[in-house]
Amino acid sequence: MFKLNLKIALRNLWKNRGITSINVGGLAVALAAFILVTLYANYETSFDKKNPNYDQIYIVGRILPDLKTNYTPPPFGKAIKDNLPEVENVGVTKVGGFEFAISSNGATIFTKNLLRLDYNAAKMFNINPTGGLNKPAGDERLFYLSKENMDGLFPNKKDNKPELVSLGSKSAGQTATVQGAVINDKHSNITFDALSIANVLGEGENYGYNNYNTYIQVKEGTDIANLEQKITAMYRAELVKGETDKSVLERVKEVSVFLDPLKNLHLRPKAGTDANYKILITLSVLGLLILVIACINFTNLSIAQATKRAKEVGVKKVMGAFRFQLTIQFLLEIFMQCVVATVLGLIIAEIILPQFNNLFLVDLAIWRMDNVLIWQLPLILLFITLIAGVYPAMVLSGFKPAVVLKGNFTTSKQSYWLRNSLLVVQFSIAVIFITGLLIISSQLKYMRSQDIGFSANQVVYIKNIAYFTNPKDFEPIRDRIMKIEGVKSATVASGIPDGSENGTNGYTVEGKEANIDFLDIDFDYFETLNIKLKEGRFFSKDFNTDTASSAILNESAIAKYGLKNPIGKIIRGCRTDYKIVGVIKDFKTQGFETAIQPTIYTMKNPCGNSKLEIMLKVDESRMSEVLATLKSQWSDINKKDGDNFRYQFLDELYGKLFQKQEQLQSVFFAAAILTILIAMLGLFAFAKYITNGRIKEIAVRKILGANDLQIFKLINSSFFVLVMIANLISWPLAYILTKKWLETFAYRIEMPILPFILSAVITISLTIITVSIQARNAVKANPVDALKYE
């Protein structure tokens, strides 16, 4: 029986190979998209899952009145371990502040991500160097490189012996011993290209140094909410030790601690951005919707062909076939198509995968032994078989022999309404994608055309390892650089406007204290970036106090403190009284998603970060000449950096802030194309079925005098109504979804009307073209051919 059903299925599929190809092709394309999304979702949701302590590790964060951050002071971890028995282990880490060169006798590599951590953190995160993890002796620091970097420096190394390397410029004579290599798991929140492991990090630093990350490993069954309360109470007690100032004591009451599980850190951290999570959710929904559209196509076309299979069902039932046998037969046909679609989908996914990896900066692969897609794929196949096939199989197997064998059988009104409803759903999803794509494109265009408040064009960012915290240290470097023809200005700062977060601290003006960002800069910082002055003046060498006790605030900081006539007023922070000498206009250092932060700019800050970031404004016409000169003279200009001259263009770095939104735009573009393609394929086949069913009606109308235009209008009218209904349904949904997306931006466009109109024009135009192409043969046919047997 199975063999007979298989033969019948194959013959029916071949007989209707046009519809079969559309069904299989649409499903294959949709499955390829869904497979890629599934791969990406598996990757994004499995960060750090290989860590045996995955469920017990939490990062300790602080909640301040104006800030939520994962940065904590180094002694905090020791206090937690000593006082709370629920905590099994505590580890402290700190990310290195700059990129530096490491050289062997034959090669040089650059470490961009030096991770410092204590021995407990290394154990917690399962750091396993070649030769095993050793505990540092006393104040010793063990230095390791990632396996990629180690292989780059010592490609022929066969043993696990330590190696001597040069750090920074070779002429500086600074060396270090590399103990071994560590595999850098890029599928982890703890990534690095070099490691420095110590017994204790931040020794001697107090609770004012909030630039470390503290991780705790709790015992199983620990009440996390209760533990948070205990750590908060302990932290407040540490902050008020020896403090008598009532205002400080009151402010400490507003400070609290949170614990964020390791499994949240990549997608949904409590402190930080959840952009990865939003991209994942968007992709997952899009992938599922595309698959649903393909299944709707399948269902629609299967029901539409019901009349062709009616007599077959009637004869089989008269011969004694039961309904469940017929249901199994039709499900078998559908399953065979789904299997072929799955194979084709895998082939398409494999072809597209390199472009997908480039877009999302990942390294996904389908054919891996540890890939969970291997067991997910059969479930996906079963899912689409049931979704796309159960209803058509039930409809086909439910025909009554007495009705269908009379020869005047037509599908029920219920099937008619279902087909039309499914078509409306298809086009509604397509309209949402088209509208979303147009609105995303409008927001990106707005972001690229808006004045960001500073100019990154022709600004060269030079990577550097020399500290210039004291303005006098950078003065000779600036003088040498400014002698190069084409250099307009040069400056150094503790950060560059590339979306990076600045440090935050408490500052007081006229008795009002608030946490604001701070940035340590040098002369010509604002001039180099072409930042506009609102009132007062920039830092100047004509004023000796500028290098010690002058400050410039941005407009947001002035607004936060509610200052009027701020020039000359005193702002106190980091045990220093600063005189406000200028106010600059706000500029978007962190892009469009984050509001401009209140910021203070100083040249000397006891609590600040090291000034490492050198920026030059260069004449556009002499850029290549300037860069060549800098490279040849860098070992003399900046001896500590020596022959390791490296640079990037600031506008390129700032442009990376748009990367996530550009990814989203690409995803919506692909989704819109796929949904339109699948919907049009289904519409094409469906229009063919409808047109063929009205051949005699069309012939009669032509005999009675109807012209071609009237016939085209007749056939298109029903589809036009369906597409209009789809637009009316999808517009509110598209509005709600895109409005929520736009609300994630601090600076955004107003909701435009044009995308909604354009989506209607696009879908209606494509529908009319598709249906008209299919109807053309019926309209041009001779009426005699259709009516000669009547």
Side-chain angles (χ1 to χ4, degrees):
M1 189 66 181
F2 175 80
K3 188 176 179 181
L4 178 63
N5 284 338
L6 184 62
K7 284 183 178 180
I8 293 171
L10 290 171
R11 285 172 181 168
N12 274 310
L13 293 175
W14 179 251
K15 183 180 177 182
N16 300 294
R17 51 188 175 273
I19 300 295
T20 301
S21 299
I22 289 173
N23 267 347
V24 171
L27 264 181
V29 171
L31 274 168
F34 192 74
I35 287 168
L36 291 177
V37 169
T38 303
L39 276 175
Y40 184 73
N42 291 338
Y43 176 83
E44 289 289 292
T45 55
S46 58
F47 268 63
D48 283 307
K49 278 197 173 179
K50 293 179 181 178
N51 191 322
N53 309 310
Y54 177 73
D55 292 319
Q56 277 73 52
I57 295 176
Y58 293 78
I59 192 170
V60 181
R62 299 176 300 131
I63 301 175
L64 308 175
D66 307 311
L67 178 71
K68 183 181 282 188
T69 176
N70 284 335
Y71 290 109
T72 49
F76 192 24
K78 185 177 185 305
I80 292 173
K81 182 70 172 69
D82 291 344
N83 292 284
L84 299 170
E86 303 98 315
V87 178
E88 211 169 76
N89 196 6
V90 174
V92 178
T93 69
K94 184 179 182 180
V95 177
F98 51 83
E99 174 184 315
F100 62 95
I102 301 178
S103 304
S104 63
N105 288 331
T108 299
I109 56 98
F110 295 95
T111 61
K112 299 179 181 179
N113 183 13
L114 168 66
L115 181 65
R116 300 170 185 169
L117 67 167
D118 61 20
Y119 178 70
N120 289 329
K123 287 195 301 181
M124 190 185 298
F125 288 104
N126 205 28
I127 302 295
N128 190 22
T130 52
L133 177 65
N134 297 317
K135 186 177 175 65
D139 295 333
E140 180 187 20
R141 294 178 182 269
L142 300 180
F143 186 53
Y144 297 91
L145 292 177
S146 66
K147 191 173 187 311
E148 295 88 346
N149 280 343
M150 196 69 170
D151 291 342
L153 286 177
F154 305 99
N156 301 316
K157 186 176 174 61
K158 303 295 183 184
D159 55 49
N160 293 330
K161 293 180 180 178
E163 298 284 353
L164 189 68
V165 295
S166 171
L167 302 182
S169 171
K170 291 180 180 179
S171 60
Q174 188 174 358
T175 61
T177 301
V178 179
Q179 300 296 326
V182 183
I183 294 176
N184 176 25
D185 183 5
K186 295 178 182 177
H187 200 195
S188 170
N189 290 288
I190 305 297
T191 59
F192 51 84
D193 50 24
L195 284 176
S196 174
I197 302 177
N199 271 321
V200 180
L201 278 191
E203 195 166 15
E205 297 183 12
N206 58 33
Y207 278 80
Y209 291 84
N210 295 298
N211 50 3
Y212 292 80
N213 292 129
T214 303
Y215 295 89
I216 64 171
Q217 181 181 332
V218 301
K219 295 177 180 177
E220 287 191 25
T222 299
D223 184 339
I224 299 301
N226 183 48
L227 182 59
E228 279 183 334
Q229 293 176 4
K230 289 181 179 180
I231 296 177
T232 296
M234 191 187 70
Y235 182 56
R236 289 173 180 171
E238 292 289 337
L239 290 179
V240 298
K241 278 184 179 178
E243 187 63 60
T244 57
D245 190 327
K246 289 185 178 180
S247 62
V248 173
L249 295 175
E250 286 299 317
R251 286 197 300 272
V252 167
K253 293 179 181 178
E254 299 176 2
V255 178
S256 61
V257 170
F258 66 86
L259 299 178
D260 203 6
L262 181 62
K263 58 187 176 184
N264 281 4
L265 294 187
H266 179 63
L267 289 176
R268 300 190 74 181
K270 292 181 180 179
T273 176
D274 61 350
N276 289 329
Y277 176 74
K278 289 174 182 174
I279 291 290
L280 175 61
I281 292 297
T282 303
L283 269 179
S284 300
V285 171
L286 294 184
L288 187 59
L289 287 177
I290 290 169
L291 191 60
V292 166
I293 286 178
C295 290
I296 286 173
N297 246 11
F298 200 109
T299 303
N300 232 350
L301 294 177
S302 298
I303 296 172
Q305 292 192 93
T307 52
K308 292 185 178 181
R309 308 292 298 272
K311 288 185 179 179
E312 175 194 338
V313 172
V315 170
K316 284 188 174 182
K317 282 195 170 183
V318 169
M319 298 297 291
F322 293 103
R323 183 174 183 179
F324 82 90
Q325 292 174 314
L326 295 171
T327 302
I328 295 298
Q329 178 196 328
F330 292 128
L331 278 175
L332 177 63
E333 292 182 23
I334 291 164
F335 178 74
M336 289 171 61
Q337 294 178 74
C338 291
V339 169
V340 175
T342 303
V343 173
L344 289 175
L346 282 168
I347 294 171
I348 295 169
E350 183 66 28
I351 293 170
I352 299 172
L353 191 58
Q355 288 76 23
F356 186 89
N357 284 339
N358 287 335
L359 177 63
F360 290 98
L361 304 177
V362 291
D363 184 24
L364 305 179
I366 296 174
W367 312 110
R368 277 182 184 162
M369 290 302 295
D370 61 343
N371 196 343
V372 292
L373 186 69
I374 292 172
W375 62 262
Q376 289 174 336
L377 207 56
L379 295 178
I380 295 170
L381 178 60
L382 179 63
F383 171 77
I384 60 173
T385 302
L386 293 175
I387 294 297
V390 167
Y391 187 79
M394 296 301 292
V395 169
L396 290 166
S397 63
F399 294 151
K400 296 179 181 178
V403 177
V404 299
L405 293 177
K406 289 180 181 179
N408 59 350
F409 170 78
T410 56
T411 52
S412 65
K413 288 185 178 180
Q414 183 181 0
S415 295
Y416 171 80
W417 282 105
L418 179 63
R419 289 199 308 269
N420 289 346
S421 299
L422 293 177
L423 203 61
V424 167
V425 171
Q426 270 188 315
F427 276 94
S428 296
I429 295 171
V431 169
I432 290 172
F433 285 163
I434 294 169
T435 307
L437 171 63
L438 294 172
I439 291 175
I440 290 170
S441 299
S442 297
Q443 174 65 15
L444 274 172
K445 183 179 179 182
Y446 165 82
M447 289 160 62
R448 294 198 176 282
S449 62
Q450 280 295 297
D451 180 15
I452 58 176
F454 73 99
S455 175
N457 296 329
Q458 309 309 315
V459 176
V460 178
Y461 158 55
I462 300 177
K463 297 179 180 181
N464 162 62
I465 65 171
Y467 294 134
F468 298 112
T469 303
N470 190 331
K472 290 182 180 178
D473 296 336
F474 187 64
E475 195 63 37
I477 306 292
R478 178 191 284 107
D479 291 341
R480 287 290 304 274
I481 292 173
M482 292 302 297
K483 289 178 181 177
I484 299 173
E485 288 291 331
V487 177
K488 295 180 177 179
S489 63
T491 190
V492 67
S494 60
I496 59 174
D498 64 344
S500 303
E501 294 182 0
N502 298 321
T504 304
N505 219 324
Y507 289 85
T508 305
V509 184
E510 296 182 338
K512 181 177 180 180
E513 182 179 9
N515 286 306
I516 63 173
D517 284 10
F518 63 84
L519 191 71
D520 305 332
I521 65 173
D522 208 287
F523 294 116
D524 296 331
Y525 175 84
F526 301 110
E527 293 87 340
T528 300
L529 296 174
N530 196 26
I531 295 167
K532 301 295 186 287
L533 182 69
K534 184 178 181 182
E535 57 181 303
R537 62 176 177 81
F538 292 140
F539 293 131
S540 171
K541 296 175 185 177
D542 297 333
F543 299 88
N544 293 331
T545 54
D546 281 2
T547 59
S549 59
S550 294
I552 294 175
L553 276 62
N554 65 358
E555 291 175 301
S556 294
I558 298 299
K560 184 159 191 171
Y561 287 109
L563 295 178
K564 294 181 180 179
N565 302 316
I567 303 302
K569 292 186 176 178
I570 300 299
I571 178 169
R572 180 170 177 78
C574 286
R575 305 176 300 281
T576 305
D577 289 333
Y578 294 101
K579 182 180 179 181
I580 301 173
V581 298
V583 177
I584 59 166
K585 291 189 176 182
D586 284 341
F587 62 102
K588 301 179 179 70
T589 61
Q590 295 177 324
F592 286 73
E593 294 179 57
T594 305
I596 295 169
Q597 299 299 305
T599 307
I600 179 173
Y601 300 87
T602 61
M603 294 185 68
K604 183 179 180 182
N605 185 354
C607 302
N609 299 315
S610 302
K611 286 191 275 190
L612 292 159
E613 322 293 358
I614 299 173
M615 290 177 283
L616 314 180
K617 186 77 169 181
V618 180
D619 189 330
E620 183 177 3
S621 62
R622 310 195 70 165
M623 179 64 75
S624 58
E625 181 185 336
V626 167
L627 291 175
T629 304
L630 282 168
K631 184 173 183 179
S632 64
Q633 297 181 8
W634 195 244
S635 57
D636 290 328
I637 294 173
N638 190 353
K639 291 183 171 57
K640 195 165 186 179
D641 221 17
D643 41 31
N644 302 313
F645 178 72
R646 301 156 338 272
Y647 69 91
Q648 285 182 280
F649 294 110
L650 188 59
D651 55 353
E652 292 178 359
L653 288 171
Y654 191 80
K656 290 180 180 180
L657 294 179
F658 303 152
Q659 190 174 55
K660 290 292 181 185
Q661 307 311 325
E662 287 170 344
Q663 287 176 348
L664 197 60
Q665 183 187 36
S666 299
V667 167
F668 262 81
F669 178 77
I673 295 297
L674 282 177
T675 52
I676 290 170
L677 174 65
I678 294 169
M680 289 303 130
L681 282 173
L683 182 64
F684 187 81
F686 193 43
K688 181 178 180 179
Y689 164 78
I690 294 295
T691 305
N692 290 342
R694 301 180 73 174
I695 287 290
K696 292 178 182 177
E697 178 192 346
I698 292 169
V700 171
R701 287 180 181 273
K702 291 186 73 174
I703 290 170
L704 293 175
N707 58 35
D708 289 355
L709 185 61
Q710 289 173 320
I711 300 299
F712 274 120
K713 184 179 178 182
L714 172 72
I715 296 172
N716 274 294
S717 59
S718 59
F719 292 103
F720 176 82
V721 171
L722 292 176
V723 175
M724 278 306 302
I725 292 171
N727 274 277
L728 292 174
I729 291 172
S730 61
W731 284 345
L733 293 172
Y735 177 84
I736 292 168
L737 293 173
T738 53
K739 190 172 187 295
K740 283 190 172 294
W741 175 74
L742 285 173
E743 285 172 354
T744 62
F745 292 90
Y747 309 98
R748 56 183 179 266
I749 58 172
E750 294 295 327
M751 180 65 74
I753 298 174
L754 187 60
F756 297 90
I757 297 172
L758 284 176
S759 64
V761 171
I762 291 169
T763 50
I764 290 170
S765 300
L766 289 173
T767 299
I768 292 173
I769 292 168
T770 303
V771 174
S772 297
I773 290 172
Q774 188 56 269
R776 184 174 179 275
N777 292 334
V779 172
K780 295 297 182 183
N782 191 335
V784 174
D785 294 333
L787 299 175
K788 61 185 177 182
Y789 296 113
E790 293 299 318

